[in-house]
Amino acid sequence: MENLNLIDTFSEFKELKSIDRATMMRVLEDVFRSVLVKRFGTDENFDIIINIDKGDFEIWRNREVVEDEELEDPNTQISITAAKKIDTDYEVGEDVTDEVKLLDFGRRAILALRQNLTSRILELEKDNIYGKYKDRIGDLVTGEVYQVWKKEIMVVDDEGNELILPKVEQISSDYFRKGDSVRAVVIRVEMRNSNPLIILSRTSPIFLERLFELEVPEIFDGLIIIKNIKRIPGERAKVAVESYDERVDPVGACVGMKGSRIHGIVRELRNENIDVINYTSNTQLYITRALSPAKVSLIKLNEEDKRADVYLQPDQVSLAIGKGGSNIKLASQLTGYEIDVYREMTADDEDVDIEEFADEIESWILDELKAIGCDTAKSVLDLSVAELAKRTDLEEETINDVLNILKSEFDQ
């Protein structure tokens, strides 16, 4: 019965973890031989036969037949008298092979063997999982949410392996419940306290790249290559693409007919705004495209410092900067240039609407100014600090900051 339980212990792991046949044989034999060494001092004269398919095993001991008075080691030798009790045809110098029953080792030895076997299989499985996912860093995986915690969620793959999706690697609007299906990319695999730790991410640019490969066959086939990706997860992303086939429009292929291809990616990323632009080695044109949807009037490059001064019409400035500065930030990251935006002024420009300063002055301050009839830059500059402090609820320090911003517009 103990033999059966021992094999069952291994069979359970075999069924659940898909350990290959050769490894199964090696682990079982190693465990049995360790028991033999403890009991007999050596395992060199033992043969172990394992039948994985039937789930059983046999241990056979080989001993040399010696004269009764020459018997020194009962483990490797057998007296002629004892040998003839097995078979009367045995002679001195021949080998006797007899089966060793595991039950004869005692219950404690069998329990220790089972524990050793279980421990070896667990270690082997941990190594297998580590090796498997170490080779899959950067790959897209799909799993099911098994447990939700405050700082992370546990995801299980189709083989039951446990993967971790930390809160910091989730999109801010992600919300998962147990049983939900989740897609993410493997970004890190490490051993922690002898256990494999597989970390997933939905905020990595690689995740967006894998989604494009999934939705756009031309990218998967290599006709279109993704040159660079920059993201503010859940808010905005910019993707620079290039085609190796002049007949293929890379931007059109990525977006799809009426946005059919990119819509699936946008939904997966919780409505992240994705700008797909055509890559070019022309730096000025690349920066112009990176700042879309804004229309650029002029770019002055400083190649040495990797800076770009971009001039736009007043109504294009807010588009170039984007919500919370997201557009200009991503454009800078995508192109590798520090981008500064300037309003392009002409001699005929008499004034500027203060709403054009929304990216530099907080909205509640602008509301205070408009409430007293100051809806243009010059209408504010025409009033003194004292007058503005009297007519609004703004502090003098804030007013001075606003005036400096407005003055700088006309000093350019």
Side-chain angles (χ1 to χ4, degrees):
M1 186 64 180
E2 290 291 355
N3 286 23
L4 180 61
N5 288 342
L6 193 61
I7 293 297
D8 286 346
T9 300
F10 188 84
S11 298
E12 290 171 6
F13 283 96
K14 167 65 173 68
E15 180 180 347
L16 293 173
K17 305 298 183 180
S18 302
I19 298 173
D20 64 88
R21 186 184 187 90
T23 304
M24 290 172 63
M25 299 281 286
R26 176 174 58 80
V27 170
L28 272 174
E29 185 168 344
D30 286 349
V31 170
F32 290 139
R33 287 194 178 279
S34 67
V35 173
L36 292 173
V37 169
K38 286 182 179 179
R39 182 171 178 83
F40 298 106
T42 181
D43 63 338
E44 293 180 0
N45 60 315
F46 289 88
D47 294 323
I48 300 175
I49 302 171
I50 300 171
N51 189 324
I52 295 296
D53 298 324
K54 291 183 178 180
D56 59 21
F57 63 92
E58 295 175 355
I59 300 175
W60 294 86
R61 178 169 56 176
N62 302 305
R63 291 184 289 178
E64 181 186 0
V65 179
V66 297
E67 296 290 353
D68 293 355
E69 63 275 8
E70 295 179 1
L71 182 65
E72 296 178 355
D73 184 359
N75 179 45
T76 59
Q77 298 173 330
I78 183 172
S79 67
I80 184 65
T81 302
K84 286 187 176 293
K85 289 181 179 179
I86 299 174
D87 191 325
T88 56
D89 293 335
Y90 278 124
E91 300 291 340
V92 172
E94 293 183 337
D95 289 334
V96 173
T97 301
D98 59 319
E99 185 175 2
V100 176
K101 296 293 185 181
L102 195 62
L103 287 173
D104 296 337
F105 288 20
R107 183 176 180 83
R108 290 184 63 182
I110 294 174
L111 289 175
L113 193 151
R114 288 183 62 184
Q115 290 173 355
N116 189 9
L117 175 59
T118 302
S119 176
R120 288 288 302 276
I121 298 303
L122 285 173
E123 289 177 10
L124 188 64
E125 181 55 29
K126 290 173 184 178
D127 290 341
N128 284 349
I129 295 173
Y130 178 82
K132 171 186 175 181
Y133 275 97
K134 193 72 174 176
D135 294 335
R136 293 192 65 188
I137 291 177
D139 286 358
L140 190 69
V141 296
T142 301
E144 181 179 303
V145 176
Y146 182 76
Q147 189 75 46
V148 179
W149 295 297
K150 187 175 181 179
K151 295 184 178 180
E152 61 190 22
I153 66 172
M154 180 188 292
V155 179
V156 292
D157 64 9
D158 53 4
E159 294 181 359
N161 298 316
E162 297 175 355
L163 322 174
I164 297 297
L165 178 59
K167 189 70 175 178
V168 293
E169 298 295 343
Q170 299 174 34
I171 298 170
S172 57
S173 53
D174 274 343
Y175 177 73
F176 298 107
R177 292 178 295 184
K178 185 175 182 179
D180 287 350
S181 178
V182 57
R183 284 197 292 190
V185 70
V186 180
I187 59 163
R188 193 167 71 254
V189 179
E190 58 190 52
M191 293 296 285
R192 184 176 297 177
N193 298 326
S194 300
N195 292 311
L197 184 65
I198 298 101
I199 305 297
L200 306 180
S201 174
R202 286 172 52 82
T203 62
S204 169
I206 300 173
F207 180 51
L208 178 53
E209 183 176 351
R210 295 294 174 263
L211 291 177
F212 267 103
E213 291 174 355
L214 204 62
E215 296 288 342
V216 184
E218 291 86 348
I219 293 179
F220 183 81
D221 294 338
L223 291 175
I224 296 174
I225 185 171
I226 296 176
K227 299 292 289 187
N228 202 358
I229 293 180
K230 297 299 176 183
R231 291 179 66 194
I232 300 176
E235 294 183 26
R236 193 166 197 147
K238 287 187 180 290
V239 183
V241 294
E242 185 179 30
S243 175
Y244 285 141
D245 189 336
E246 60 183 15
R247 297 169 299 178
V248 178
D249 171 23
V251 175
C254 290
V255 174
M257 188 72 69
K258 296 182 179 179
S260 58
R261 288 178 172 176
I262 205 166
H263 281 167
I265 300 175
V266 171
R267 283 194 300 270
E268 178 67 42
L269 300 181
R270 311 301 187 195
N271 295 319
E272 189 170 306
N273 189 355
I274 303 174
D275 297 329
V276 182
I277 66 170
N278 209 336
Y279 175 80
T280 175
S281 56
N282 183 319
T283 304
Q284 292 211 11
L285 181 56
Y286 192 29
I287 293 174
T288 299
R289 290 173 177 173
L291 284 170
S292 65
K295 296 178 181 179
V296 175
S297 300
L298 176 67
I299 298 177
K300 294 181 180 179
L301 291 178
N302 183 332
E303 295 286 359
E304 185 177 344
D305 296 331
K306 287 286 185 178
R307 298 185 70 90
D309 293 339
V310 179
Y311 295 86
L312 310 97
Q313 291 294 324
D315 62 340
Q316 296 297 305
V317 172
S318 59
L319 287 175
I321 293 174
K323 182 181 178 183
S326 60
N327 198 57
I328 192 171
K329 178 181 178 181
L330 290 174
S332 294
Q333 293 175 353
L334 194 72
T335 61
Y337 278 76
E338 187 68 34
I339 299 174
D340 294 317
V341 172
Y342 299 95
R343 292 175 179 79
E344 190 177 44
M345 305 298 292
T346 66
D348 297 330
D349 290 327
E350 295 182 356
D351 210 346
V352 180
D353 192 308
I354 61 170
E355 284 292 341
E356 296 296 330
F357 298 88
D359 56 297
E360 298 171 272
I361 303 174
E362 294 183 34
S363 59
W364 69 272
I365 297 176
L366 296 178
D367 291 339
E368 284 284 331
L369 295 172
K370 286 189 290 184
I372 62 171
C374 295
D375 54 0
T376 66
K378 287 188 176 181
S379 65
V380 178
L381 292 171
D382 287 341
L383 299 176
S384 66
V385 175
E387 185 68 12
L388 287 169
K390 180 180 178 182
R391 296 174 59 181
T392 67
D393 291 329
L394 300 175
E395 296 179 358
E396 287 191 7
E397 184 180 352
T398 302
I399 294 172
N400 283 322
D401 290 341
V402 171
L403 293 177
N404 288 333
I405 293 171
L406 301 181
K407 285 176 183 176
S408 65
E409 184 66 36
F410 297 101
D411 290 342
Q412 295 179 21

